[in-house]
Amino acid sequence: MSSQPKLHLTVGLPGVGKTTLARELERASGALRLTPDEWMLPLFGVRWADFGGKRDVLEGRLVWVAHQVLRAGGSVILDFGCWSPEERYALRAIADLAGADFELHYVTLPEDERRKRATARWREAPEETFEMTLDDHERFRTSFTPPTTDELQGCSPPPPPIPFESWPAWASDRWPTLPRLDI
Ligand SMILES: Nc1ncnc2c1ncn2[C@@H]1O[C@H](COP(=O)(O)OP(=O)(O)OP(=O)(O)O)[C@@H](O)[C@H]1O
Ligand SMILES: [Mg+2]
């Protein structure tokens, strides 16, 4: 483990290879990997990513654990996908708060290949995923906001949206099971 802890965040649409990359990072760096899909079924009995908001409940607690591990000097991989820039800014701010570095790993694939892989994984490893229809894929594609060049280069995030006083405050609203980490 390097002396400076780091928060790694995998970003990208379903099936692009985020968890595959997260496992490689885990092996190479010894960082703690937190992949929500591995927790949904054992905890809630459902695979569906957003079933009844349970994924948000889970993610909030995983961010909280990540912050504690970073503060203790360990590195963490949040294998979250993070479709919105606000989520990514908030997690970057939480890494800052813990005195950790931050690295965004943006994974992309041509759309037809991504869909093929997502479908193959549903066939081969249904316990790791959920079935995605053509409509789902279309919705995913249009809901995802890719990171900008500034984001990828690690430029300072913009201020949080009104009325939030900080990105950690925004994060506790986005993930209600995440306590305010900056007060
Ligand atoms: N380089 C590759 N070539 C071919 N198949 C791959 C490659 N990398 C990953 N895969 C396969 O593609 C599928 C999706 O990969 P992975 O689970 O890593 O994606 P993901 O981005 O984590 O998806 P999700 O967002 O749904 O969790 C898996 O079945 C994986 O084995
Ligand atoms: Mg995954």
Side-chain angles (χ1 to χ4, degrees), residues 10-24 35 37 55 79-81 83 107 109 113-114 116-122 124-125 128-130 132 140:
T10 59
V11 173
L13 284 166
V16 286
K18 298 181 300 295
T19 301
T20 304
L21 172 68
R23 290 197 177 106
E24 283 163 14
T35 297
D37 288 342
R55 190 176 172 106
D79 182 20
F80 273 23
W83 293 10
V107 190
L109 267 185
E113 177 63 21
R114 182 186 73 73
K116 258 189 243 160
R117 287 194 198 174
T119 306
R121 191 170 42 135
W122 170 244
E124 289 152 22
E128 289 181 10
T129 187
F130 50 91
M132 301 171 209
F140 297 158

mmCIF file of all heavy atoms in Angstrom, residues 10-24 35 37 55 79-81 83 107 109 113-114 116-122 124-125 128-130 132 140, ligand 1:
data_model
loop_
_atom_site.group_PDB
_atom_site.id
_atom_site.type_symbol
_atom_site.label_atom_id
_atom_site.label_comp_id
_atom_site.label_asym_id
_atom_site.label_seq_id
_atom_site.Cartn_x
_atom_site.Cartn_y
_atom_site.Cartn_z
ATOM 1 N N THR A 10 -14.652 3.875 -10.043
ATOM 2 C CA THR A 10 -14.890 3.394 -11.408
ATOM 3 C C THR A 10 -16.166 4.044 -11.944
ATOM 4 O O THR A 10 -17.177 4.102 -11.258
ATOM 5 C CB THR A 10 -15.032 1.859 -11.464
ATOM 6 O OG1 THR A 10 -16.117 1.469 -10.631
ATOM 7 C CG2 THR A 10 -13.766 1.161 -11.029
ATOM 8 N N VAL A 11 -16.076 4.528 -13.156
ATOM 9 C CA VAL A 11 -17.183 5.270 -13.779
ATOM 10 C C VAL A 11 -17.451 4.687 -15.156
ATOM 11 O O VAL A 11 -16.508 4.452 -15.927
ATOM 12 C CB VAL A 11 -16.819 6.776 -13.897
ATOM 13 C CG1 VAL A 11 -17.863 7.537 -14.701
ATOM 14 C CG2 VAL A 11 -16.652 7.404 -12.515
ATOM 15 N N GLY A 12 -18.718 4.466 -15.463
ATOM 16 C CA GLY A 12 -19.065 3.982 -16.803
ATOM 17 C C GLY A 12 -20.386 3.234 -16.778
ATOM 18 O O GLY A 12 -20.906 2.884 -15.705
ATOM 19 N N LEU A 13 -20.908 2.957 -17.947
ATOM 20 C CA LEU A 13 -22.209 2.303 -18.101
ATOM 21 C C LEU A 13 -22.119 0.808 -17.762
ATOM 22 O O LEU A 13 -21.016 0.246 -17.719
ATOM 23 C CB LEU A 13 -22.680 2.497 -19.549
ATOM 24 C CG LEU A 13 -23.215 3.896 -19.845
ATOM 25 C CD1 LEU A 13 -23.332 4.120 -21.351
ATOM 26 C CD2 LEU A 13 -24.571 4.096 -19.178
ATOM 27 N N PRO A 14 -23.260 0.149 -17.553
ATOM 28 C CA PRO A 14 -23.237 -1.285 -17.246
ATOM 29 C C PRO A 14 -22.545 -2.105 -18.346
ATOM 30 O O PRO A 14 -22.784 -1.862 -19.534
ATOM 31 C CB PRO A 14 -24.729 -1.650 -17.168
ATOM 32 C CG PRO A 14 -25.423 -0.377 -16.831
ATOM 33 C CD PRO A 14 -24.615 0.708 -17.487
ATOM 34 N N GLY A 15 -21.699 -3.009 -17.921
ATOM 35 C CA GLY A 15 -21.081 -3.947 -18.857
ATOM 36 C C GLY A 15 -19.792 -3.471 -19.496
ATOM 37 O O GLY A 15 -19.172 -4.202 -20.268
ATOM 38 N N VAL A 16 -19.335 -2.264 -19.176
ATOM 39 C CA VAL A 16 -18.116 -1.755 -19.841
ATOM 40 C C VAL A 16 -16.831 -2.373 -19.290
ATOM 41 O O VAL A 16 -15.780 -2.272 -19.918
ATOM 42 C CB VAL A 16 -17.962 -0.208 -19.768
ATOM 43 C CG1 VAL A 16 -18.923 0.490 -20.691
ATOM 44 C CG2 VAL A 16 -18.055 0.296 -18.350
ATOM 45 N N GLY A 17 -16.921 -2.982 -18.104
ATOM 46 C CA GLY A 17 -15.720 -3.600 -17.535
ATOM 47 C C GLY A 17 -15.217 -2.935 -16.263
ATOM 48 O O GLY A 17 -14.057 -3.085 -15.888
ATOM 49 N N LYS A 18 -16.097 -2.232 -15.549
ATOM 50 C CA LYS A 18 -15.680 -1.525 -14.322
ATOM 51 C C LYS A 18 -15.249 -2.500 -13.229
ATOM 52 O O LYS A 18 -14.212 -2.306 -12.600
ATOM 53 C CB LYS A 18 -16.825 -0.651 -13.782
ATOM 54 C CG LYS A 18 -17.270 0.443 -14.708
ATOM 55 C CD LYS A 18 -18.380 1.263 -14.095
ATOM 56 C CE LYS A 18 -19.603 0.449 -13.766
ATOM 57 N NZ LYS A 18 -20.269 -0.097 -14.956
ATOM 58 N N THR A 19 -16.051 -3.542 -13.013
ATOM 59 C CA THR A 19 -15.716 -4.473 -11.929
ATOM 60 C C THR A 19 -14.470 -5.276 -12.282
ATOM 61 O O THR A 19 -13.645 -5.570 -11.414
ATOM 62 C CB THR A 19 -16.933 -5.371 -11.613
ATOM 63 O OG1 THR A 19 -18.018 -4.507 -11.249
ATOM 64 C CG2 THR A 19 -16.649 -6.324 -10.469
ATOM 65 N N THR A 20 -14.311 -5.587 -13.554
ATOM 66 C CA THR A 20 -13.090 -6.283 -14.002
ATOM 67 C C THR A 20 -11.869 -5.408 -13.686
ATOM 68 O O THR A 20 -10.882 -5.887 -13.111
ATOM 69 C CB THR A 20 -13.176 -6.564 -15.523
ATOM 70 O OG1 THR A 20 -14.381 -7.302 -15.765
ATOM 71 C CG2 THR A 20 -11.976 -7.351 -16.016
ATOM 72 N N LEU A 21 -11.957 -4.121 -13.997
ATOM 73 C CA LEU A 21 -10.861 -3.192 -13.690
ATOM 74 C C LEU A 21 -10.682 -3.041 -12.177
ATOM 75 O O LEU A 21 -9.546 -3.034 -11.673
ATOM 76 C CB LEU A 21 -11.150 -1.820 -14.318
ATOM 77 C CG LEU A 21 -10.187 -0.704 -13.912
ATOM 78 C CD1 LEU A 21 -8.788 -0.967 -14.481
ATOM 79 C CD2 LEU A 21 -10.686 0.659 -14.385
ATOM 80 N N ALA A 22 -11.798 -2.961 -11.445
ATOM 81 C CA ALA A 22 -11.718 -2.798 -9.980
ATOM 82 C C ALA A 22 -11.001 -3.996 -9.354
ATOM 83 O O ALA A 22 -10.201 -3.831 -8.425
ATOM 84 C CB ALA A 22 -13.120 -2.635 -9.401
ATOM 85 N N ARG A 23 -11.280 -5.188 -9.871
ATOM 86 C CA ARG A 23 -10.593 -6.386 -9.340
ATOM 87 C C ARG A 23 -9.102 -6.335 -9.643
ATOM 88 O O ARG A 23 -8.278 -6.730 -8.818
ATOM 89 C CB ARG A 23 -11.193 -7.660 -9.936
ATOM 90 C CG ARG A 23 -12.587 -7.952 -9.427
ATOM 91 C CD ARG A 23 -12.974 -9.418 -9.702
ATOM 92 N NE ARG A 23 -14.282 -9.702 -9.147
ATOM 93 C CZ ARG A 23 -15.389 -9.846 -9.866
ATOM 94 N NH1 ARG A 23 -15.346 -9.747 -11.192
ATOM 95 N NH2 ARG A 23 -16.539 -10.087 -9.280
ATOM 96 N N GLU A 24 -8.747 -5.835 -10.829
ATOM 97 C CA GLU A 24 -7.315 -5.709 -11.174
ATOM 98 C C GLU A 24 -6.633 -4.716 -10.226
ATOM 99 O O GLU A 24 -5.540 -4.974 -9.736
ATOM 100 C CB GLU A 24 -7.137 -5.239 -12.622
ATOM 101 C CG GLU A 24 -7.371 -6.339 -13.638
ATOM 102 C CD GLU A 24 -7.592 -5.800 -15.056
ATOM 103 O OE1 GLU A 24 -7.303 -4.601 -15.302
ATOM 104 O OE2 GLU A 24 -8.063 -6.580 -15.906
ATOM 105 N N THR A 35 -17.949 -3.185 -4.187
ATOM 106 C CA THR A 35 -18.781 -3.327 -5.388
ATOM 107 C C THR A 35 -20.227 -3.573 -4.938
ATOM 108 O O THR A 35 -20.537 -4.671 -4.475
ATOM 109 C CB THR A 35 -18.272 -4.517 -6.241
ATOM 110 O OG1 THR A 35 -16.941 -4.234 -6.690
ATOM 111 C CG2 THR A 35 -19.148 -4.783 -7.447
ATOM 112 N N ASP A 37 -22.986 -4.304 -6.279
ATOM 113 C CA ASP A 37 -23.700 -5.460 -6.843
ATOM 114 C C ASP A 37 -23.432 -6.746 -6.050
ATOM 115 O O ASP A 37 -24.254 -7.651 -6.052
ATOM 116 C CB ASP A 37 -23.298 -5.690 -8.307
ATOM 117 C CG ASP A 37 -23.871 -4.616 -9.227
ATOM 118 O OD1 ASP A 37 -24.814 -3.924 -8.812
ATOM 119 O OD2 ASP A 37 -23.357 -4.478 -10.353
ATOM 120 N N ARG A 55 -30.388 0.399 -3.151
ATOM 121 C CA ARG A 55 -29.002 0.629 -3.571
ATOM 122 C C ARG A 55 -28.448 1.919 -2.956
ATOM 123 O O ARG A 55 -27.283 1.972 -2.565
ATOM 124 C CB ARG A 55 -28.911 0.665 -5.099
ATOM 125 C CG ARG A 55 -27.465 0.644 -5.558
ATOM 126 C CD ARG A 55 -27.379 0.591 -7.061
ATOM 127 N NE ARG A 55 -26.015 0.757 -7.460
ATOM 128 C CZ ARG A 55 -25.238 -0.224 -7.911
ATOM 129 N NH1 ARG A 55 -25.696 -1.438 -8.007
ATOM 130 N NH2 ARG A 55 -24.002 0.015 -8.255
ATOM 131 N N ASP A 79 -16.631 0.895 -6.589
ATOM 132 C CA ASP A 79 -16.992 0.388 -7.918
ATOM 133 C C ASP A 79 -18.460 0.732 -8.168
ATOM 134 O O ASP A 79 -19.312 -0.145 -8.209
ATOM 135 C CB ASP A 79 -16.723 -1.121 -7.928
ATOM 136 C CG ASP A 79 -17.003 -1.765 -9.268
ATOM 137 O OD1 ASP A 79 -17.047 -1.039 -10.280
ATOM 138 O OD2 ASP A 79 -17.199 -2.999 -9.287
ATOM 139 N N PHE A 80 -18.727 2.032 -8.292
ATOM 140 C CA PHE A 80 -20.100 2.545 -8.227
ATOM 141 C C PHE A 80 -20.714 2.870 -9.592
ATOM 142 O O PHE A 80 -21.914 2.983 -9.696
ATOM 143 C CB PHE A 80 -20.122 3.847 -7.404
ATOM 144 C CG PHE A 80 -20.273 3.663 -5.917
ATOM 145 C CD1 PHE A 80 -19.921 2.472 -5.297
ATOM 146 C CD2 PHE A 80 -20.766 4.689 -5.134
ATOM 147 C CE1 PHE A 80 -20.053 2.314 -3.922
ATOM 148 C CE2 PHE A 80 -20.918 4.546 -3.764
ATOM 149 C CZ PHE A 80 -20.562 3.369 -3.159
ATOM 150 N N GLY A 81 -19.933 3.127 -10.606
ATOM 151 C CA GLY A 81 -20.516 3.551 -11.890
ATOM 152 C C GLY A 81 -20.652 5.057 -12.009
ATOM 153 O O GLY A 81 -20.244 5.637 -12.986
ATOM 154 N N TRP A 83 -23.022 7.907 -12.513
ATOM 155 C CA TRP A 83 -23.455 8.464 -13.796
ATOM 156 C C TRP A 83 -23.500 9.976 -13.809
ATOM 157 O O TRP A 83 -23.578 10.587 -14.866
ATOM 158 C CB TRP A 83 -24.849 7.931 -14.134
ATOM 159 C CG TRP A 83 -24.865 6.470 -14.400
ATOM 160 C CD1 TRP A 83 -23.840 5.574 -14.196
ATOM 161 C CD2 TRP A 83 -25.955 5.720 -14.917
ATOM 162 N NE1 TRP A 83 -24.233 4.326 -14.550
ATOM 163 C CE2 TRP A 83 -25.527 4.378 -14.997
ATOM 164 C CE3 TRP A 83 -27.252 6.058 -15.321
ATOM 165 C CZ2 TRP A 83 -26.355 3.364 -15.475
ATOM 166 C CZ3 TRP A 83 -28.076 5.051 -15.796
ATOM 167 C CH2 TRP A 83 -27.617 3.721 -15.867
ATOM 168 N N VAL A 107 -14.343 4.105 -17.782
ATOM 169 C CA VAL A 107 -14.259 2.947 -18.669
ATOM 170 C C VAL A 107 -15.323 3.083 -19.758
ATOM 171 O O VAL A 107 -16.495 3.329 -19.450
ATOM 172 C CB VAL A 107 -14.465 1.622 -17.882
ATOM 173 C CG1 VAL A 107 -14.132 0.422 -18.737
ATOM 174 C CG2 VAL A 107 -13.638 1.613 -16.598
ATOM 175 N N LEU A 109 -16.699 1.662 -23.873
ATOM 176 C CA LEU A 109 -16.669 0.652 -24.944
ATOM 177 C C LEU A 109 -17.618 1.118 -26.032
ATOM 178 O O LEU A 109 -18.584 1.832 -25.725
ATOM 179 C CB LEU A 109 -17.263 -0.659 -24.420
ATOM 180 C CG LEU A 109 -16.403 -1.747 -23.822
ATOM 181 C CD1 LEU A 109 -17.303 -2.943 -23.528
ATOM 182 C CD2 LEU A 109 -15.275 -2.163 -24.744
ATOM 183 N N GLU A 113 -20.773 -3.371 -28.389
ATOM 184 C CA GLU A 113 -19.946 -4.319 -27.630
ATOM 185 C C GLU A 113 -20.359 -4.310 -26.149
ATOM 186 O O GLU A 113 -20.448 -5.367 -25.504
ATOM 187 C CB GLU A 113 -18.467 -3.935 -27.787
ATOM 188 C CG GLU A 113 -17.479 -4.778 -26.990
ATOM 189 C CD GLU A 113 -17.447 -6.256 -27.392
ATOM 190 O OE1 GLU A 113 -17.872 -6.582 -28.527
ATOM 191 O OE2 GLU A 113 -17.022 -7.072 -26.549
ATOM 192 N N ARG A 114 -20.642 -3.130 -25.625
ATOM 193 C CA ARG A 114 -21.071 -3.027 -24.228
ATOM 194 C C ARG A 114 -22.354 -3.828 -24.004
ATOM 195 O O ARG A 114 -22.462 -4.599 -23.047
ATOM 196 C CB ARG A 114 -21.304 -1.562 -23.863
ATOM 197 C CG ARG A 114 -21.702 -1.363 -22.406
ATOM 198 C CD ARG A 114 -22.070 0.078 -22.117
ATOM 199 N NE ARG A 114 -23.349 0.477 -22.675
ATOM 200 C CZ ARG A 114 -24.533 0.099 -22.201
ATOM 201 N NH1 ARG A 114 -24.602 -0.692 -21.158
ATOM 202 N NH2 ARG A 114 -25.642 0.512 -22.774
ATOM 203 N N LYS A 116 -23.491 -6.301 -25.761
ATOM 204 C CA LYS A 116 -23.203 -7.736 -25.912
ATOM 205 C C LYS A 116 -22.643 -8.307 -24.621
ATOM 206 O O LYS A 116 -23.017 -9.379 -24.177
ATOM 207 C CB LYS A 116 -22.171 -7.947 -27.036
ATOM 208 C CG LYS A 116 -22.788 -8.415 -28.337
ATOM 209 C CD LYS A 116 -21.705 -8.804 -29.304
ATOM 210 C CE LYS A 116 -21.761 -7.898 -30.520
ATOM 211 N NZ LYS A 116 -20.574 -7.821 -31.312
ATOM 212 N N ARG A 117 -21.726 -7.572 -24.015
ATOM 213 C CA ARG A 117 -21.094 -8.069 -22.778
ATOM 214 C C ARG A 117 -22.090 -8.119 -21.628
ATOM 215 O O ARG A 117 -22.078 -9.047 -20.828
ATOM 216 C CB ARG A 117 -19.905 -7.187 -22.389
ATOM 217 C CG ARG A 117 -18.732 -7.418 -23.299
ATOM 218 C CD ARG A 117 -17.492 -6.804 -22.709
ATOM 219 N NE ARG A 117 -16.456 -6.623 -23.707
ATOM 220 C CZ ARG A 117 -15.310 -6.009 -23.490
ATOM 221 N NH1 ARG A 117 -15.054 -5.509 -22.306
ATOM 222 N NH2 ARG A 117 -14.418 -5.894 -24.437
ATOM 223 N N ALA A 118 -22.950 -7.077 -21.542
ATOM 224 C CA ALA A 118 -23.946 -7.049 -20.460
ATOM 225 C C ALA A 118 -24.890 -8.251 -20.612
ATOM 226 O O ALA A 118 -25.249 -8.917 -19.633
ATOM 227 C CB ALA A 118 -24.715 -5.733 -20.478
ATOM 228 N N THR A 119 -25.283 -8.558 -21.853
ATOM 229 C CA THR A 119 -26.193 -9.673 -22.098
ATOM 230 C C THR A 119 -25.506 -11.007 -21.798
ATOM 231 O O THR A 119 -26.086 -11.903 -21.175
ATOM 232 C CB THR A 119 -26.673 -9.635 -23.574
ATOM 233 O OG1 THR A 119 -27.212 -8.345 -23.808
ATOM 234 C CG2 THR A 119 -27.706 -10.694 -23.861
ATOM 235 N N ALA A 120 -24.239 -11.129 -22.216
ATOM 236 C CA ALA A 120 -23.500 -12.382 -21.980
ATOM 237 C C ALA A 120 -23.343 -12.616 -20.477
ATOM 238 O O ALA A 120 -23.465 -13.744 -19.991
ATOM 239 C CB ALA A 120 -22.127 -12.311 -22.655
ATOM 240 N N ARG A 121 -23.120 -11.545 -19.736
ATOM 241 C CA ARG A 121 -22.925 -11.711 -18.288
ATOM 242 C C ARG A 121 -24.219 -12.141 -17.620
ATOM 243 O O ARG A 121 -24.212 -12.921 -16.678
ATOM 244 C CB ARG A 121 -22.413 -10.417 -17.659
ATOM 245 C CG ARG A 121 -21.947 -10.643 -16.240
ATOM 246 C CD ARG A 121 -21.247 -9.463 -15.745
ATOM 247 N NE ARG A 121 -22.002 -8.308 -16.176
ATOM 248 C CZ ARG A 121 -22.296 -7.288 -15.413
ATOM 249 N NH1 ARG A 121 -21.849 -7.252 -14.201
ATOM 250 N NH2 ARG A 121 -22.986 -6.288 -15.859
ATOM 251 N N TRP A 122 -25.342 -11.641 -18.097
ATOM 252 C CA TRP A 122 -26.635 -12.061 -17.533
ATOM 253 C C TRP A 122 -26.825 -13.566 -17.752
ATOM 254 O O TRP A 122 -27.326 -14.281 -16.895
ATOM 255 C CB TRP A 122 -27.770 -11.251 -18.168
ATOM 256 C CG TRP A 122 -29.142 -11.760 -17.840
ATOM 257 C CD1 TRP A 122 -30.060 -12.260 -18.711
ATOM 258 C CD2 TRP A 122 -29.749 -11.822 -16.539
ATOM 259 N NE1 TRP A 122 -31.193 -12.629 -18.046
ATOM 260 C CE2 TRP A 122 -31.033 -12.375 -16.713
ATOM 261 C CE3 TRP A 122 -29.333 -11.482 -15.251
ATOM 262 C CZ2 TRP A 122 -31.915 -12.579 -15.637
ATOM 263 C CZ3 TRP A 122 -30.206 -11.685 -14.185
ATOM 264 C CH2 TRP A 122 -31.487 -12.230 -14.388
ATOM 265 N N GLU A 124 -24.295 -15.800 -18.211
ATOM 266 C CA GLU A 124 -23.245 -16.621 -17.589
ATOM 267 C C GLU A 124 -23.133 -16.435 -16.079
ATOM 268 O O GLU A 124 -22.737 -17.371 -15.381
ATOM 269 C CB GLU A 124 -21.889 -16.288 -18.238
ATOM 270 C CG GLU A 124 -21.796 -16.796 -19.663
ATOM 271 C CD GLU A 124 -20.848 -15.949 -20.518
ATOM 272 O OE1 GLU A 124 -19.979 -15.272 -19.931
ATOM 273 O OE2 GLU A 124 -20.989 -15.970 -21.748
ATOM 274 N N ALA A 125 -23.409 -15.232 -15.591
ATOM 275 C CA ALA A 125 -23.247 -14.976 -14.157
ATOM 276 C C ALA A 125 -24.404 -14.125 -13.641
ATOM 277 O O ALA A 125 -24.224 -12.988 -13.222
ATOM 278 C CB ALA A 125 -21.897 -14.278 -13.904
ATOM 279 N N GLU A 128 -24.390 -11.871 -10.533
ATOM 280 C CA GLU A 128 -23.623 -10.618 -10.497
ATOM 281 C C GLU A 128 -24.365 -9.455 -11.140
ATOM 282 O O GLU A 128 -23.864 -8.343 -11.173
ATOM 283 C CB GLU A 128 -22.304 -10.788 -11.273
ATOM 284 C CG GLU A 128 -21.305 -11.673 -10.588
ATOM 285 C CD GLU A 128 -20.010 -11.779 -11.383
ATOM 286 O OE1 GLU A 128 -19.829 -11.022 -12.358
ATOM 287 O OE2 GLU A 128 -19.198 -12.638 -11.023
ATOM 288 N N THR A 129 -25.525 -9.743 -11.726
ATOM 289 C CA THR A 129 -26.139 -8.666 -12.515
ATOM 290 C C THR A 129 -27.654 -8.806 -12.545
ATOM 291 O O THR A 129 -28.235 -9.528 -11.718
ATOM 292 C CB THR A 129 -25.526 -8.663 -13.944
ATOM 293 O OG1 THR A 129 -26.005 -7.535 -14.654
ATOM 294 C CG2 THR A 129 -25.807 -9.925 -14.704
ATOM 295 N N PHE A 130 -28.313 -8.138 -13.464
ATOM 296 C CA PHE A 130 -29.751 -8.227 -13.644
ATOM 297 C C PHE A 130 -30.020 -8.107 -15.132
ATOM 298 O O PHE A 130 -29.164 -7.662 -15.893
ATOM 299 C CB PHE A 130 -30.473 -7.121 -12.852
ATOM 300 C CG PHE A 130 -29.906 -5.753 -13.098
ATOM 301 C CD1 PHE A 130 -30.412 -4.950 -14.104
ATOM 302 C CD2 PHE A 130 -28.830 -5.282 -12.340
ATOM 303 C CE1 PHE A 130 -29.877 -3.690 -14.354
ATOM 304 C CE2 PHE A 130 -28.295 -4.013 -12.582
ATOM 305 C CZ PHE A 130 -28.819 -3.224 -13.593
ATOM 306 N N MET A 132 -31.180 -6.736 -18.572
ATOM 307 C CA MET A 132 -31.355 -5.383 -19.113
ATOM 308 C C MET A 132 -32.030 -5.474 -20.471
ATOM 309 O O MET A 132 -31.529 -6.140 -21.369
ATOM 310 C CB MET A 132 -29.985 -4.692 -19.263
ATOM 311 C CG MET A 132 -29.235 -4.587 -17.941
ATOM 312 S SD MET A 132 -27.529 -4.015 -18.134
ATOM 313 C CE MET A 132 -26.748 -4.804 -16.711
ATOM 314 N N PHE A 140 -30.206 3.993 -20.001
ATOM 315 C CA PHE A 140 -28.872 4.128 -19.386
ATOM 316 C C PHE A 140 -28.032 5.112 -20.192
ATOM 317 O O PHE A 140 -27.412 6.012 -19.651
ATOM 318 C CB PHE A 140 -28.123 2.790 -19.361
ATOM 319 C CG PHE A 140 -28.765 1.709 -18.537
ATOM 320 C CD1 PHE A 140 -28.470 0.374 -18.783
ATOM 321 C CD2 PHE A 140 -29.654 2.014 -17.513
ATOM 322 C CE1 PHE A 140 -29.050 -0.635 -18.029
ATOM 323 C CE2 PHE A 140 -30.245 1.017 -16.753
ATOM 324 C CZ PHE A 140 -29.943 -0.315 -17.018
HETATM 325 N N1 LIG B 1 -11.588 -7.262 -22.090
HETATM 326 C C1 LIG B 1 -12.727 -7.974 -22.071
HETATM 327 N N2 LIG B 1 -13.080 -8.728 -23.140
HETATM 328 C C2 LIG B 1 -14.230 -9.431 -23.132
HETATM 329 N N3 LIG B 1 -15.096 -9.477 -22.111
HETATM 330 C C3 LIG B 1 -14.786 -8.756 -21.024
HETATM 331 C C4 LIG B 1 -13.601 -7.962 -20.938
HETATM 332 N N4 LIG B 1 -13.578 -7.328 -19.739
HETATM 333 C C5 LIG B 1 -14.710 -7.706 -19.110
HETATM 334 N N5 LIG B 1 -15.409 -8.577 -19.877
HETATM 335 C C6 LIG B 1 -16.699 -9.191 -19.548
HETATM 336 O O1 LIG B 1 -17.724 -8.222 -19.730
HETATM 337 C C7 LIG B 1 -18.734 -8.387 -18.736
HETATM 338 C C8 LIG B 1 -18.916 -7.072 -18.002
HETATM 339 O O2 LIG B 1 -17.707 -6.743 -17.296
HETATM 340 P P1 LIG B 1 -17.800 -6.103 -15.843
HETATM 341 O O3 LIG B 1 -18.651 -6.932 -14.943
HETATM 342 O O4 LIG B 1 -16.409 -5.837 -15.412
HETATM 343 O O5 LIG B 1 -18.560 -4.744 -16.207
HETATM 344 P P2 LIG B 1 -19.183 -3.637 -15.266
HETATM 345 O O6 LIG B 1 -18.862 -2.350 -15.900
HETATM 346 O O7 LIG B 1 -18.751 -3.869 -13.870
HETATM 347 O O8 LIG B 1 -20.752 -3.868 -15.369
HETATM 348 P P3 LIG B 1 -21.895 -3.398 -14.316
HETATM 349 O O9 LIG B 1 -21.970 -1.914 -14.372
HETATM 350 O O10 LIG B 1 -23.151 -3.978 -14.846
HETATM 351 O O11 LIG B 1 -21.511 -3.921 -12.987
HETATM 352 C C9 LIG B 1 -18.272 -9.522 -17.814
HETATM 353 O O12 LIG B 1 -18.926 -10.710 -18.207
HETATM 354 C C10 LIG B 1 -16.780 -9.594 -18.071
HETATM 355 O O13 LIG B 1 -16.288 -10.897 -17.841
#
